[in-house]
Amino acid sequence: MTAMRQGRTRRTTWVSALCALVVAGTGLTGCSSEDPDAGTNGVGKLPADKIQATTRTAAESAQAVRLAGTVVAGGSTYKLDMRLKSDGGTGSVSAQGATFQLLRVGEELFLMADAEFWHDGHDDGDTAAADKLDGKYVKVPKGDPSYKRFSGFTDKDVLFDSLLTLHGTLATDGRHEESGVRTIRITGDKGAGGTLDVSLEGKPYPLRLVRAGGAGTLTFSDWGKDFPLEQPAKDKTVDYGQQLPTS
């Protein structure tokens, strides 16, 4: 049990004991329970639609965030672990048995994967070329179809626009806890349209999202924590010009 949980438990026990003492001394028949919003940021008192709007504003204004989990889209399941900020992002993406690293600095996007990733789809005559890409950052040209698809994983605004939306009628679903932080949960269509846990401590950042229709689960952490974002060294970079090698 964390220190924070122990503190809340001791506080609750103390309040209950005090309540019993007051009741015994006055002959009263009851005592009000502890305010669930005491010491919180207050968003738990808002209706669900206001909570969603408030947490989205907080997320969009944050300098940086780490996003991890799974996203199901277009019939594929993507496993993400990305650190994002307004001018780019970096991290890993896994899909269809392959894992690769993505790095975007401004409008320049780079992809790094092992030799096996680049071997896929090549005949034996191209294996030597694929081996040379092992562990290298390959620059993804803006005209290549892969650019739009991959850059979306590194774009904080794009991801929030597509992810931080619940579907159907919104409602609150009680207080919960995510990684030791108290949350208020909001749901769409009683959970069928997704659920979102919003922090009740500090800024009302979203902390956990379960997407509608089994389309993945994501956690959000390291809100506002900056991280370095630099272009890879030239000796670690391969630029094929206007088109990526086929893979």
PDB file of all heavy atoms in Angstrom, residues 172-193:
ATOM      1  N   THR A 172     -21.182  10.001 -15.534  1.00  0.00           N
ATOM      2  CA  THR A 172     -20.083   9.709 -14.611  1.00  0.00           C
ATOM      3  C   THR A 172     -20.292   8.320 -14.023  1.00  0.00           C
ATOM      4  O   THR A 172     -21.428   7.838 -13.896  1.00  0.00           O
ATOM      5  CB  THR A 172     -20.013  10.748 -13.486  1.00  0.00           C
ATOM      6  OG1 THR A 172     -21.273  10.799 -12.803  1.00  0.00           O
ATOM      7  CG2 THR A 172     -19.686  12.125 -14.045  1.00  0.00           C
ATOM      8  N   ASP A 173     -19.178   7.681 -13.647  1.00  0.00           N
ATOM      9  CA  ASP A 173     -19.241   6.304 -13.147  1.00  0.00           C
ATOM     10  C   ASP A 173     -18.379   6.149 -11.894  1.00  0.00           C
ATOM     11  O   ASP A 173     -17.584   5.222 -11.782  1.00  0.00           O
ATOM     12  CB  ASP A 173     -18.805   5.330 -14.235  1.00  0.00           C
ATOM     13  CG  ASP A 173     -18.986   3.869 -13.814  1.00  0.00           C
ATOM     14  OD1 ASP A 173     -19.884   3.599 -13.009  1.00  0.00           O
ATOM     15  OD2 ASP A 173     -18.203   3.012 -14.290  1.00  0.00           O
ATOM     16  N   GLY A 174     -18.499   7.091 -10.980  1.00  0.00           N
ATOM     17  CA  GLY A 174     -17.869   6.961  -9.684  1.00  0.00           C
ATOM     18  C   GLY A 174     -16.394   7.290  -9.648  1.00  0.00           C
ATOM     19  O   GLY A 174     -15.770   7.607 -10.653  1.00  0.00           O
ATOM     20  N   ARG A 175     -15.850   7.200  -8.424  1.00  0.00           N
ATOM     21  CA  ARG A 175     -14.432   7.480  -8.196  1.00  0.00           C
ATOM     22  C   ARG A 175     -13.627   6.188  -8.325  1.00  0.00           C
ATOM     23  O   ARG A 175     -14.069   5.126  -7.869  1.00  0.00           O
ATOM     24  CB  ARG A 175     -14.207   8.067  -6.793  1.00  0.00           C
ATOM     25  CG  ARG A 175     -14.315   9.577  -6.727  1.00  0.00           C
ATOM     26  CD  ARG A 175     -15.713  10.058  -6.890  1.00  0.00           C
ATOM     27  NE  ARG A 175     -15.806  11.496  -6.658  1.00  0.00           N
ATOM     28  CZ  ARG A 175     -16.888  12.209  -6.926  1.00  0.00           C
ATOM     29  NH1 ARG A 175     -17.964  11.618  -7.431  1.00  0.00           N
ATOM     30  NH2 ARG A 175     -16.904  13.505  -6.697  1.00  0.00           N
ATOM     31  N   HIS A 176     -12.440   6.326  -8.907  1.00  0.00           N
ATOM     32  CA  HIS A 176     -11.569   5.175  -9.102  1.00  0.00           C
ATOM     33  C   HIS A 176     -10.137   5.608  -8.810  1.00  0.00           C
ATOM     34  O   HIS A 176      -9.895   6.686  -8.262  1.00  0.00           O
ATOM     35  CB  HIS A 176     -11.721   4.636 -10.523  1.00  0.00           C
ATOM     36  CG  HIS A 176     -13.115   4.162 -10.836  1.00  0.00           C
ATOM     37  ND1 HIS A 176     -13.530   2.858 -10.656  1.00  0.00           N
ATOM     38  CD2 HIS A 176     -14.206   4.836 -11.289  1.00  0.00           C
ATOM     39  CE1 HIS A 176     -14.798   2.744 -10.992  1.00  0.00           C
ATOM     40  NE2 HIS A 176     -15.244   3.932 -11.382  1.00  0.00           N
ATOM     41  N   GLU A 177      -9.190   4.777  -9.192  1.00  0.00           N
ATOM     42  CA  GLU A 177      -7.791   5.084  -8.957  1.00  0.00           C
ATOM     43  C   GLU A 177      -6.959   4.530 -10.098  1.00  0.00           C
ATOM     44  O   GLU A 177      -7.197   3.419 -10.575  1.00  0.00           O
ATOM     45  CB  GLU A 177      -7.336   4.483  -7.630  1.00  0.00           C
ATOM     46  CG  GLU A 177      -5.991   4.998  -7.141  1.00  0.00           C
ATOM     47  CD  GLU A 177      -5.683   4.545  -5.725  1.00  0.00           C
ATOM     48  OE1 GLU A 177      -6.242   5.127  -4.775  1.00  0.00           O
ATOM     49  OE2 GLU A 177      -4.888   3.598  -5.585  1.00  0.00           O
ATOM     50  N   GLU A 178      -6.001   5.311 -10.563  1.00  0.00           N
ATOM     51  CA  GLU A 178      -5.106   4.905 -11.644  1.00  0.00           C
ATOM     52  C   GLU A 178      -3.678   5.226 -11.233  1.00  0.00           C
ATOM     53  O   GLU A 178      -3.327   6.393 -11.062  1.00  0.00           O
ATOM     54  CB  GLU A 178      -5.474   5.624 -12.956  1.00  0.00           C
ATOM     55  CG  GLU A 178      -4.572   5.312 -14.123  1.00  0.00           C
ATOM     56  CD  GLU A 178      -4.622   3.861 -14.550  1.00  0.00           C
ATOM     57  OE1 GLU A 178      -5.686   3.206 -14.371  1.00  0.00           O
ATOM     58  OE2 GLU A 178      -3.600   3.366 -15.055  1.00  0.00           O
ATOM     59  N   SER A 179      -2.865   4.185 -11.071  1.00  0.00           N
ATOM     60  CA  SER A 179      -1.460   4.344 -10.668  1.00  0.00           C
ATOM     61  C   SER A 179      -1.319   5.194  -9.412  1.00  0.00           C
ATOM     62  O   SER A 179      -0.449   6.058  -9.325  1.00  0.00           O
ATOM     63  CB  SER A 179      -0.652   4.955 -11.821  1.00  0.00           C
ATOM     64  OG  SER A 179      -0.695   4.123 -12.969  1.00  0.00           O
ATOM     65  N   GLY A 180      -2.199   4.965  -8.447  1.00  0.00           N
ATOM     66  CA  GLY A 180      -2.127   5.665  -7.181  1.00  0.00           C
ATOM     67  C   GLY A 180      -2.746   7.042  -7.165  1.00  0.00           C
ATOM     68  O   GLY A 180      -2.674   7.738  -6.152  1.00  0.00           O
ATOM     69  N   VAL A 181      -3.363   7.455  -8.261  1.00  0.00           N
ATOM     70  CA  VAL A 181      -3.981   8.781  -8.364  1.00  0.00           C
ATOM     71  C   VAL A 181      -5.499   8.617  -8.398  1.00  0.00           C
ATOM     72  O   VAL A 181      -6.029   7.812  -9.170  1.00  0.00           O
ATOM     73  CB  VAL A 181      -3.496   9.528  -9.622  1.00  0.00           C
ATOM     74  CG1 VAL A 181      -4.189  10.882  -9.739  1.00  0.00           C
ATOM     75  CG2 VAL A 181      -1.984   9.700  -9.595  1.00  0.00           C
ATOM     76  N   ARG A 182      -6.196   9.393  -7.580  1.00  0.00           N
ATOM     77  CA  ARG A 182      -7.652   9.346  -7.583  1.00  0.00           C
ATOM     78  C   ARG A 182      -8.206   9.892  -8.901  1.00  0.00           C
ATOM     79  O   ARG A 182      -7.710  10.883  -9.430  1.00  0.00           O
ATOM     80  CB  ARG A 182      -8.214  10.161  -6.417  1.00  0.00           C
ATOM     81  CG  ARG A 182      -8.006   9.524  -5.048  1.00  0.00           C
ATOM     82  CD  ARG A 182      -8.518  10.429  -3.946  1.00  0.00           C
ATOM     83  NE  ARG A 182      -7.694  11.628  -3.809  1.00  0.00           N
ATOM     84  CZ  ARG A 182      -8.001  12.644  -3.014  1.00  0.00           C
ATOM     85  NH1 ARG A 182      -9.129  12.633  -2.330  1.00  0.00           N
ATOM     86  NH2 ARG A 182      -7.190  13.688  -2.928  1.00  0.00           N
ATOM     87  N   THR A 183      -9.248   9.240  -9.402  1.00  0.00           N
ATOM     88  CA  THR A 183      -9.838   9.654 -10.678  1.00  0.00           C
ATOM     89  C   THR A 183     -11.354   9.689 -10.581  1.00  0.00           C
ATOM     90  O   THR A 183     -11.959   9.060  -9.708  1.00  0.00           O
ATOM     91  CB  THR A 183      -9.460   8.695 -11.819  1.00  0.00           C
ATOM     92  OG1 THR A 183     -10.041   7.395 -11.578  1.00  0.00           O
ATOM     93  CG2 THR A 183      -7.955   8.555 -11.948  1.00  0.00           C
ATOM     94  N   ILE A 184     -11.950  10.421 -11.513  1.00  0.00           N
ATOM     95  CA  ILE A 184     -13.376  10.343 -11.777  1.00  0.00           C
ATOM     96  C   ILE A 184     -13.512   9.708 -13.152  1.00  0.00           C
ATOM     97  O   ILE A 184     -12.805  10.079 -14.090  1.00  0.00           O
ATOM     98  CB  ILE A 184     -14.051  11.744 -11.736  1.00  0.00           C
ATOM     99  CG1 ILE A 184     -15.551  11.632 -12.039  1.00  0.00           C
ATOM    100  CG2 ILE A 184     -13.396  12.720 -12.688  1.00  0.00           C
ATOM    101  CD1 ILE A 184     -16.359  11.010 -10.935  1.00  0.00           C
ATOM    102  N   ARG A 185     -14.382   8.714 -13.260  1.00  0.00           N
ATOM    103  CA  ARG A 185     -14.548   8.013 -14.539  1.00  0.00           C
ATOM    104  C   ARG A 185     -15.798   8.518 -15.245  1.00  0.00           C
ATOM    105  O   ARG A 185     -16.864   8.668 -14.636  1.00  0.00           O
ATOM    106  CB  ARG A 185     -14.653   6.511 -14.313  1.00  0.00           C
ATOM    107  CG  ARG A 185     -14.817   5.689 -15.599  1.00  0.00           C
ATOM    108  CD  ARG A 185     -14.716   4.206 -15.308  1.00  0.00           C
ATOM    109  NE  ARG A 185     -13.377   3.889 -14.788  1.00  0.00           N
ATOM    110  CZ  ARG A 185     -13.061   2.701 -14.272  1.00  0.00           C
ATOM    111  NH1 ARG A 185     -13.970   1.738 -14.191  1.00  0.00           N
ATOM    112  NH2 ARG A 185     -11.821   2.493 -13.835  1.00  0.00           N
ATOM    113  N   ILE A 186     -15.656   8.793 -16.535  1.00  0.00           N
ATOM    114  CA  ILE A 186     -16.818   9.118 -17.356  1.00  0.00           C
ATOM    115  C   ILE A 186     -16.957   8.047 -18.431  1.00  0.00           C
ATOM    116  O   ILE A 186     -15.966   7.441 -18.868  1.00  0.00           O
ATOM    117  CB  ILE A 186     -16.715  10.525 -17.997  1.00  0.00           C
ATOM    118  CG1 ILE A 186     -15.425  10.682 -18.810  1.00  0.00           C
ATOM    119  CG2 ILE A 186     -16.792  11.594 -16.930  1.00  0.00           C
ATOM    120  CD1 ILE A 186     -15.331  12.008 -19.542  1.00  0.00           C
ATOM    121  N   THR A 187     -18.192   7.793 -18.822  1.00  0.00           N
ATOM    122  CA  THR A 187     -18.472   6.738 -19.784  1.00  0.00           C
ATOM    123  C   THR A 187     -19.344   7.261 -20.918  1.00  0.00           C
ATOM    124  O   THR A 187     -20.062   8.254 -20.769  1.00  0.00           O
ATOM    125  CB  THR A 187     -19.211   5.558 -19.122  1.00  0.00           C
ATOM    126  OG1 THR A 187     -20.519   5.999 -18.696  1.00  0.00           O
ATOM    127  CG2 THR A 187     -18.443   5.038 -17.917  1.00  0.00           C
ATOM    128  N   GLY A 188     -19.274   6.579 -22.047  1.00  0.00           N
ATOM    129  CA  GLY A 188     -20.188   6.815 -23.150  1.00  0.00           C
ATOM    130  C   GLY A 188     -21.109   5.623 -23.275  1.00  0.00           C
ATOM    131  O   GLY A 188     -20.634   4.477 -23.324  1.00  0.00           O
ATOM    132  N   ASP A 189     -22.404   5.852 -23.282  1.00  0.00           N
ATOM    133  CA  ASP A 189     -23.390   4.765 -23.361  1.00  0.00           C
ATOM    134  C   ASP A 189     -23.103   3.651 -22.372  1.00  0.00           C
ATOM    135  O   ASP A 189     -22.995   2.467 -22.738  1.00  0.00           O
ATOM    136  CB  ASP A 189     -23.467   4.215 -24.789  1.00  0.00           C
ATOM    137  CG  ASP A 189     -24.320   5.071 -25.700  1.00  0.00           C
ATOM    138  OD1 ASP A 189     -25.054   5.941 -25.185  1.00  0.00           O
ATOM    139  OD2 ASP A 189     -24.257   4.885 -26.931  1.00  0.00           O
ATOM    140  N   LYS A 190     -22.920   4.023 -21.122  1.00  0.00           N
ATOM    141  CA  LYS A 190     -22.697   3.086 -20.017  1.00  0.00           C
ATOM    142  C   LYS A 190     -21.479   2.191 -20.238  1.00  0.00           C
ATOM    143  O   LYS A 190     -21.439   1.037 -19.793  1.00  0.00           O
ATOM    144  CB  LYS A 190     -23.952   2.226 -19.789  1.00  0.00           C
ATOM    145  CG  LYS A 190     -25.190   3.040 -19.406  1.00  0.00           C
ATOM    146  CD  LYS A 190     -26.389   2.151 -19.162  1.00  0.00           C
ATOM    147  CE  LYS A 190     -27.607   2.983 -18.755  1.00  0.00           C
ATOM    148  NZ  LYS A 190     -28.803   2.133 -18.520  1.00  0.00           N
ATOM    149  N   GLY A 191     -20.498   2.711 -20.948  1.00  0.00           N
ATOM    150  CA  GLY A 191     -19.265   1.973 -21.176  1.00  0.00           C
ATOM    151  C   GLY A 191     -19.129   1.420 -22.572  1.00  0.00           C
ATOM    152  O   GLY A 191     -18.011   1.171 -23.038  1.00  0.00           O
ATOM    153  N   ALA A 192     -20.253   1.209 -23.262  1.00  0.00           N
ATOM    154  CA  ALA A 192     -20.184   0.683 -24.625  1.00  0.00           C
ATOM    155  C   ALA A 192     -19.509   1.671 -25.567  1.00  0.00           C
ATOM    156  O   ALA A 192     -18.912   1.277 -26.578  1.00  0.00           O
ATOM    157  CB  ALA A 192     -21.587   0.351 -25.139  1.00  0.00           C
ATOM    158  N   GLY A 193     -19.598   2.968 -25.231  1.00  0.00           N
ATOM    159  CA  GLY A 193     -18.971   4.003 -26.041  1.00  0.00           C
ATOM    160  C   GLY A 193     -17.619   4.440 -25.519  1.00  0.00           C
ATOM    161  O   GLY A 193     -17.088   5.471 -25.927  1.00  0.00           O
TER     162      GLY A 193
END
